[in-house]
Amino acid sequence: MDYFSKSYHPPGTPPGTLVAVEGGAEAPLSIRLIDYTAAELREQELANAGECQPYLQGPSNTWIHIQGYAEPAVLRHLGELFNLHPLAMEDVFNIGQRPKMESYDEQLFVILGLATTDDSIIKTRQVSLFLGEHYIVSFCNGNRDPFGPVRKRLQKNGKRFQSRPIDYLFYTLIDVVIDGGFPVLESFGEELEDLEVELLRCPTRDTLAWIHRIKRELLLLRRIFWPQREVVNGLLREDHSPISEGTRIYLRDCYDHSIQIMELLETYREMTSSMLDVYLSSVSHHTNEIMRILTIIATIFIPLTFIAGVYGMNFGNNSNSPWAMPELNWYYGYPLIWLVMIGVAALLLIFFKRRKWF
């Protein structure tokens, strides 16, 4: 996984520049339009951005979602149709932006980070939203459309949903992105449980690599979730004309979810840091256990080596000296020395056992 990746133009490029970069087309472009009033709803795939123009003339609410890689020409066309600010379109094109909120006249621009899991791999995508008087334009890079559940709600509970202003749909899209953090963090919780079991049972070098990977991924998620909370707080606290008082009530719930996600994230980060300390303590304890066993073995063999060294000096052949070793000429001298050495080792083992050294 790429950490802290961001697309950007070369330094010195004029602001608002949209220039295609090599390798940018990561997913095919898909443009989907939903136009609705309190009485009816129309949904269709668009071949190009210009096909949405007829829907902008009436009083209906229009939602246009662009999924995948949008060429600069497509972005310029959309910018002209909806009068989107060039700086905002540059942020849409250069993915990897920090979550933020900008206000342009009667238009709101919000960038959010969507975290997903794919085969236990954390992936992040940028979601960009424009809110106008009767329209929403949303962008998301990647192949997977995150707003499928919202379209199903519009189709199943259309009358109730369609009777609300367009800013309620704007809140719903933000809520989908924010709540996407819960299943990601849930997968981290399960992974941390497995990691804790392995850590207490038999930690290895792979365990250390596992801990560091989780720490890096949690750091990446914090880089997304922390400013995202401030974005929702800004939408809730500041006075923005496209957002009605009725929708602010729902934004409170969205803000509450963002706080819960941040609390879970910080909890998991603290758990991971403590697991790293436990790993280091466990490795140190394991090393100390090995050193204690080796010390016990060495301590047992020290007196045995001394005895073997004394009777290996070969002074027994000097029969004229009163200081010669008479034990070397004993009939049972050899087995007797073995019994002494075994007795010394046994006494040392009993002493260590009573002191609870092993």
Side-chain angles (χ1 to χ4, degrees), residues 163-317:
S163 61
R164 299 180 182 273
I166 190 69
D167 59 339
Y168 182 78
L169 175 60
F170 185 69
Y171 144 74
T172 304
L173 300 180
I174 293 176
D175 187 59
V176 168
V177 176
I178 296 293
D179 288 352
F182 284 113
V184 173
L185 291 178
E186 183 180 358
S187 66
F188 270 104
E190 296 173 355
E191 193 172 6
L192 286 173
E193 289 181 5
D194 297 337
L195 178 58
E196 189 174 23
V197 171
E198 180 173 330
L199 191 63
L200 296 177
R201 185 171 52 192
C202 184
T204 62
R205 288 184 178 271
D206 292 337
T207 308
L208 180 60
W210 192 0
I211 293 174
H212 279 295
R213 179 182 62 79
I214 293 179
K215 282 177 66 69
R216 288 194 301 268
E217 291 179 346
L218 289 175
L219 183 62
L220 172 65
L221 293 179
R222 188 181 187 276
R223 180 174 175 261
I224 295 173
F225 293 151
W226 183 272
Q228 214 152 256
R229 183 185 66 172
E230 300 305 317
V231 169
V232 180
N233 186 42
L235 292 172
L236 179 62
R237 306 298 179 189
E238 299 174 13
D239 185 20
H240 300 288
S241 56
I243 298 180
S244 61
E245 282 298 323
T247 303
R248 292 183 193 276
I249 298 175
Y250 295 97
L251 285 173
R252 291 179 196 167
D253 181 66
C254 196
Y255 181 65
D256 180 60
H257 289 181
S258 65
I259 291 178
Q260 293 179 34
I261 287 174
M262 277 304 303
E263 289 176 348
L264 276 174
L265 178 64
E266 293 301 328
T267 300
Y268 289 156
R269 290 187 69 211
E270 290 178 6
M271 290 176 61
T272 308
S273 298
S274 64
M275 284 182 179
L276 182 59
D277 294 337
V278 171
Y279 171 81
L280 295 176
S281 299
S282 178
V283 171
S284 177
H285 176 72
H286 184 63
T287 303
N288 291 338
E289 286 292 320
I290 294 175
M291 293 304 299
R292 184 172 64 173
I293 296 299
L294 294 177
T295 302
I296 289 174
I297 294 174
T299 304
I300 291 175
F301 275 89
I302 285 174
L304 305 186
T305 305
F306 172 75
I307 295 173
V310 168
Y311 288 97
M313 290 188 291
N314 299 321
F315 287 120
N317 294 329

Side-chain angles (χ1 to χ4, degrees), residues 69-208:
Y69 175 73
E71 296 284 348
V74 176
L75 294 179
R76 291 193 194 97
H77 195 182
L78 283 168
E80 294 170 359
L81 287 173
F82 292 93
N83 194 26
L84 306 179
H85 199 281
L87 291 178
M89 298 307 293
E90 182 183 3
D91 289 340
V92 171
F93 184 72
N94 294 324
I95 60 174
Q97 302 288 335
R98 184 179 186 269
K100 66 177 183 177
M101 176 195 65
E102 298 286 350
S103 180
Y104 300 102
D105 297 330
E106 299 298 316
Q107 190 180 85
L108 270 178
F109 172 55
V110 171
I111 289 180
L112 301 172
L114 177 65
T116 59
T117 55
D118 187 5
D119 295 332
S120 300
I121 298 176
I122 303 298
K123 294 185 177 181
T124 60
R125 290 181 286 164
Q126 177 175 308
V127 176
S128 307
L129 304 173
F130 290 90
L131 172 64
E133 186 177 359
H134 291 290
Y135 65 86
I136 291 177
V137 183
S138 59
F139 299 84
C140 182
N141 63 301
N143 293 303
R144 189 179 303 175
D145 184 358
F147 299 130
V150 178
R151 280 191 287 273
K152 289 182 181 178
R153 286 177 59 188
L154 275 166
Q155 294 164 359
K156 294 176 81 173
N157 304 318
K159 299 299 180 185
R160 191 165 127 196
F161 204 121
Q162 292 165 213
S163 61
R164 299 180 182 273
I166 190 69
D167 59 339
Y168 182 78
L169 175 60
F170 185 69
Y171 144 74
T172 304
L173 300 180
I174 293 176
D175 187 59
V176 168
V177 176
I178 296 293
D179 288 352
F182 284 113
V184 173
L185 291 178
E186 183 180 358
S187 66
F188 270 104
E190 296 173 355
E191 193 172 6
L192 286 173
E193 289 181 5
D194 297 337
L195 178 58
E196 189 174 23
V197 171
E198 180 173 330
L199 191 63
L200 296 177
R201 185 171 52 192
C202 184
T204 62
R205 288 184 178 271
D206 292 337
T207 308
L208 180 60

Side-chain angles (χ1 to χ4, degrees), residues 319-351:
S319 57
N320 298 322
S321 174
W323 298 102
M325 295 183 182
E327 301 94 326
L328 296 179
N329 297 318
W330 289 359
Y331 187 78
Y332 294 103
Y334 178 70
L336 182 60
I337 292 300
W338 265 111
L339 289 176
V340 171
M341 295 171 68
I342 292 173
V344 169
L347 289 174
L348 288 173
L349 288 173
I350 293 172
F351 175 76

